[in-house]
Amino acid sequence: MNRGLMAALLVGAACLAVPATGQGGDDTNRIIDEGYNRSQVMQTAQEMTDGIGPRLTNSPAMRRAEAWAIGKFEGWGLSNVRRDGFEFGRGWEILSVSARMVAPRPLALTAIPIAWTPSTNGPVTAPIIVAPMSKEEHFAEWKGKLAGKIVLVSLPGDGDEPDKPAFRRLSGDDIGKLDEFRQPKYDPDALNRRLERVTFAEKLDAFLKAEGAVAMVRESYRDGKLVHGEGYNYRVGHSPTLPGIELAAEDYRRLARLAKSGAPPQLEIDSNVRYDDSDTRAYNIIAEIPGTDPKAGYVMAGAHFDSWVAGDGATDNGAGSAVVMEAARIIRKLGIRPKRTIRFVLWSAEEQGLLGSLAYVDKYLAARPGPTEGEDGNALYYGWPSRYPITPKPGYGDLKAYFNMDNGSGKLRGIYAEGNVGAVPILQSWLAPFASMGAGKVVAGPTSGTDHVYMQSVGVPGFQFIQDPLDYGSRTHHSNADTFDHLKADDLRQASVVMAGMLVTAANSDKTLPRFPVPTQPTPYNPFKYKDPND
Amino acid sequence: MNRGLMAALLVGAACLAVPATGQGGDDTNRIIDEGYNRSQVMQTAQEMTDGIGPRLTNSPAMRRAEAWAIGKFEGWGLSNVRRDGFEFGRGWEILSVSARMVAPRPLALTAIPIAWTPSTNGPVTAPIIVAPMSKEEHFAEWKGKLAGKIVLVSLPGDGDEPDKPAFRRLSGDDIGKLDEFRQPKYDPDALNRRLERVTFAEKLDAFLKAEGAVAMVRESYRDGKLVHGEGYNYRVGHSPTLPGIELAAEDYRRLARLAKSGAPPQLEIDSNVRYDDSDTRAYNIIAEIPGTDPKAGYVMAGAHFDSWVAGDGATDNGAGSAVVMEAARIIRKLGIRPKRTIRFVLWSAEEQGLLGSLAYVDKYLAARPGPTEGEDGNALYYGWPSRYPITPKPGYGDLKAYFNMDNGSGKLRGIYAEGNVGAVPILQSWLAPFASMGAGKVVAGPTSGTDHVYMQSVGVPGFQFIQDPLDYGSRTHHSNADTFDHLKADDLRQASVVMAGMLVTAANSDKTLPRFPVPTQPTPYNPFKYKDPND
């Protein structure tokens, strides 16, 4: 079938009714029984977070996690369990870190190495200089002043005054506000800002190195001694040359004040990290429950498996990963044979720009012009979503629905229709059995920032669930507090049941979801437009 | 004058009207001008917190802080500036600390030495055992099982779910709820619980030592990587023999889970602390503005100057200390000569049981029977408030009003009349000029847990201000986040103005506050009865 024909057919996909062959309510009740009475979701989450710990893309711990996940899927009897690789960059891990002020008074500081920065190779001691730089234009002011210094590059902020509860569940009103169609509106600079994050970091590193600085220090963006350590310069040949750490906001601001009121404080930093370039490819983990009708296509659930390194990647996104795995376990355990194949994917490199799901789209769903995978440069990742035309691949129409989970541990409250209002009635009917569990609401509004958006950007119906925020936005997201004990068992059991139920229903449904035409310009699904309600 | 006569007269003190000699409204406007337009309160607070850092009772830093405060008061021209000593115990300071899990995977832990525990004398590495013990009855279960182990003594809790904003100001409704007289009601076990905190810690330490344990570890009582490190075994000859650290709740709970699901994790702990027994006396710092009428008695403002060690003692209680100092500076700068002497006190050892203000009461205001100061034992401190009869000392009647500040950085919203409803109209008239600054409300209810309560317990009118809570209860109180940048300049300027204004008005007032009879049994002022609204 040529692509033009396929694309034309796909536009009308919503009209292609397929007779029901599934077990309907019976399956749903069996899923509820298995998912609530014999749940393994917390056990799975604990092995992943307490046991393996943080899973930075391509880190040694992520390699262990990949092997563990494959073992789990295989142990549960899933089919076609495999790693699906794509070019990424360096592996990196933290062995230990310490930072302390040694003058004017001894003081332990809360610090984390910034991802993909190099070791200090033992403790380094130097005076600080506060030299806020967020644009290249700022470099001139500090030229000639940084040699031998530990450079504090953030503009010291003020203490925050959080006026909302740190832990929160959504009211009906909160959810109601999400139920609003928004007219397509493109923010052309959004992608540039993402690219700038990477390229400015490289320029700053080069400038500091050329000036003879000893190390770079930035301020945490959260108060209350939380640190994060995100870094984006992971490509081989492009990782930072200078050690870099993030300090707790309280510690950073104290240093900045002391530097202003007296002799510059002296710090001792010991950042002990290690690169691993043995395999520069990252891997999505895929597992399946084969459908009975090879021509009926497939439905898919996914969550990103990679995390940042400050905590154990529990709410971001051990939660979603464990729920996707538990949904797979439940469906397989019950021996359900759906009409359509159900595919489960644990994405890698989401935290660096949704790169695992991008690779999947690029490989299986639709091609966009421009740099190819092997090509050097940031343009592949950051230019990709804005390049047209989109050329559907043979598998484009096979993916009938994608369900993503990546908003922490909070229970599912419904689903974002993402502007696809034609899908609302079908999604509503699919969620109806779970309304009494609090998950029944379908809202027109969109969400963004995770692995369904690149599917949306080529016109594939991909959806993210609405979740209770809990303390995801306020403190666990990316932070050193992102540990297993911020996961809520009741919520994750509910999410697993709803996820499994939705997948089986979608896989057996005689209706498929309506699709938009293949986009010829940025769509309401633009991944960089909308603010996450948890942020 | 014999004491019986004096006590009888004191009961009628409210009736002893003294003619006004002060400058009234004029002084108030000058205080407002100086306090808002040429404030030094933030500079004072910054020197105290950023510069000196935490001020644990009798620590080397506290000695530096005492000398600094005396220098400040003298520099501003205060009179009778002095240290007023009382027997306390050991000095102690943290030089550095690190704790990490070395198996089953490398992981930095957030830790703080528990106050007055000894050094590890270099890194110690050992497996953990989770052995929750909170009563002597629990020891039997663990006998013979602790040798060579790092013992985790807390029962691992669950993650918290904070459902109130971390940062909060009081509404009129909130304040209204405080305006309620409560009938005297004594909790006879409150003091025993405080004593138990000290004696159980000694017994636990002895048990662990006898069993051959390597170190003791407890769990932080706050989530989100905050640690505190409070300890109460500061007396010479009674400090702990085993190193002890507090771990962040996330870290502690992870260890406990790992110990349950596999081989016990191994920790490496390096707690580098130092005792200083060169002077076992603690010191209150006193400064005065002399009154023009030696027979008119004195009014007093106070705040505790000591802190715990995890942060820099900023909101607890650098804030109150800086406000008391700023009030002194303002009044002295303006050359105000009040009728009554105004005394400013920075208390020590508040954190160990209000011991500085207890010593002041014991020395100047009223005697109670029982153990005397030189006597060994905890009974002096923990039995004192419940011993009768109270015998007023010659200076008992001279103290006409005491104002305390110790609820963080939040602006003053009014004052607790502490059940002394007869004082309400006078306090209201004194606060009236500050009503438009939000500080005008007098409430009947009590507050507790700080240095006015031992004055109340002997019948002296001592009061604590109502303050906006901000993030004091939620995260800064005693924690590693208690740093200068959680202080609010607008609020502390307002508090300084109100404090200075109240002191001058009280020092010049032709009315003195009504007093209760000398208590013969626990009173509504019982210091251990009421819950702080910030808690």
Side-chain angles (χ1 to χ4, degrees), chain A residues 301-321:
Chain A
H304 74 86
F305 194 39
D306 65 300
S307 75
W308 290 109
V309 284
D312 289 338
T315 65
D316 190 16
N317 189 20
S321 298

Side-chain angles (χ1 to χ4, degrees), chain A residues 82-87 282-288 297-302 341-348 354-367 373 384 393 395-396 398-402 451 454-455 458 460:
Chain A
R82 60 197 186 274
R83 305 201 304 173
D84 195 23
F86 58 96
E87 188 57 30
Y283 297 91
N284 299 322
I285 307 297
I286 302 179
E288 291 175 0
Y298 67 101
V299 298
M300 184 160 75
T341 292
I342 303 176
R343 183 172 289 176
F344 304 89
V345 192
L346 302 176
W347 307 111
S348 190
L354 324 181
L355 304 182
S357 50
L358 188 160
Y360 184 93
V361 173
D362 191 55
K363 191 168 176 181
Y364 300 112
L365 300 179
E373 189 180 309
W384 187 91
K393 296 196 170 186
Y396 181 84
D398 295 340
L399 177 49
K400 305 300 184 191
Y402 171 68
D451 291 297
Y454 285 140
M455 290 176 221
V458 298
V460 167

Side-chain angles (χ1 to χ4, degrees), chain A residues 1-17 390 392 396-400 420 422 458-461 512-520 525:
Chain A
M1 190 186 291
N2 78 39
R3 287 181 183 166
L5 177 60
M6 191 184 71
L9 283 174
L10 286 169
V11 173
C15 314
L16 299 172
I390 292 165
Y396 181 84
D398 295 340
L399 177 49
K400 305 300 184 191
N420 187 347
V458 298
V460 167
T512 55
L513 296 167
R515 300 164 90 113
F516 278 97
V518 176
T520 55
Y525 303 131

Side-chain angles (χ1 to χ4, degrees), chain B residues 236-481:
Chain B
V236 177
H238 292 269
S239 56
T241 59
L242 214 61
I245 61 166
E246 177 180 314
L247 279 184
E250 281 82 1
D251 289 332
Y252 188 98
R253 294 187 299 240
R254 184 204 284 111
L255 289 172
R257 290 190 303 270
L258 286 171
K260 210 166 176 177
S261 63
Q266 299 255 341
L267 302 196
E268 181 202 84
I269 298 175
D270 188 354
S271 177
N272 183 12
V273 301
R274 188 162 53 192
Y275 293 102
D276 178 358
D277 295 334
S278 58
D279 184 357
T280 59
R281 287 168 74 78
Y283 297 92
N284 299 322
I285 307 296
I286 302 180
E288 291 175 359
I289 290 176
T292 54
D293 179 356
K295 293 186 179 151
Y298 67 102
V299 299
M300 185 160 75
H304 74 87
F305 194 39
D306 65 299
S307 75
W308 290 109
V309 285
D312 289 337
T315 65
D316 190 17
N317 185 19
S321 298
V323 164
V324 166
M325 292 175 74
E326 174 72 355
R329 186 195 69 77
I330 291 170
I331 299 170
R332 183 66 191 84
K333 171 80 180 301
L334 299 177
I336 293 169
R337 293 296 311 274
K339 181 175 69 179
R340 297 184 186 87
T341 292
I342 304 176
R343 183 172 287 176
F344 304 90
V345 193
L346 303 176
W347 307 112
S348 190
E350 191 270 354
E351 296 293 5
Q352 289 76 41
L354 324 180
L355 304 183
S357 50
L358 187 160
Y360 185 93
V361 172
D362 191 54
K363 191 168 176 181
Y364 300 112
L365 299 180
R368 309 186 84 136
T372 53
E373 191 179 310
E375 203 167 340
D376 186 45
N378 292 299
L380 168 65
Y381 303 135
Y382 295 100
W384 188 90
S386 53
R387 288 197 298 266
Y388 295 88
I390 293 165
T391 310
K393 295 196 170 185
Y396 182 85
D398 295 340
L399 178 49
K400 304 300 185 191
Y402 171 69
F403 301 110
N404 194 75
M405 179 169 163
D406 181 24
N407 269 324
S409 176
K411 73 175 178 180
L412 306 190
R413 302 300 307 276
I415 199 161
Y416 296 94
E418 309 278 350
N420 186 347
V421 292
V424 170
I426 302 176
L427 291 170
Q428 264 171 353
S429 72
W430 292 355
L431 272 180
F434 309 106
S436 67
M437 298 174 195
K441 187 73 182 168
V442 182
V443 301
T447 182
S448 71
T450 183
D451 291 298
H452 64 306
V453 297
Y454 285 140
M455 291 176 220
Q456 294 176 341
S457 80
V458 298
V460 167
F463 305 95
Q464 159 100 334
F465 288 100
I466 304 165
Q467 291 182 252
D468 276 340
L470 310 189
D471 49 356
Y472 186 66
S474 65
R475 62 181 181 186
T476 66
H477 181 251
H478 293 195
S479 86
N480 50 342

Side-chain angles (χ1 to χ4, degrees), chain B residues 96 98 118-125 214 243 268-273:
Chain B
S96 66
S98 83
S119 269
T120 51
N121 297 313
V124 294
T125 304
V214 169
E268 181 202 84
I269 298 175
D270 188 354
S271 177
N272 183 12
V273 301

Side-chain angles (χ1 to χ4, degrees), chain A residues 50 160 253 257 475 485, chain B residues 50 160 253 257 475 485:
Chain A
D50 282 347
D160 70 352
R253 295 189 299 240
R257 291 190 303 271
R475 64 180 180 186
D485 42 17
Chain B
D50 283 349
D160 70 350
R253 294 187 299 240
R257 290 190 303 270
R475 62 181 181 186
D485 43 15

Side-chain angles (χ1 to χ4, degrees), chain A residues 172-180 182:
Chain A
D173 272 3
D174 293 332
I175 295 177
K177 284 174 196 155
L178 304 171
D179 192 14
E180 189 189 338
R182 304 191 206 172

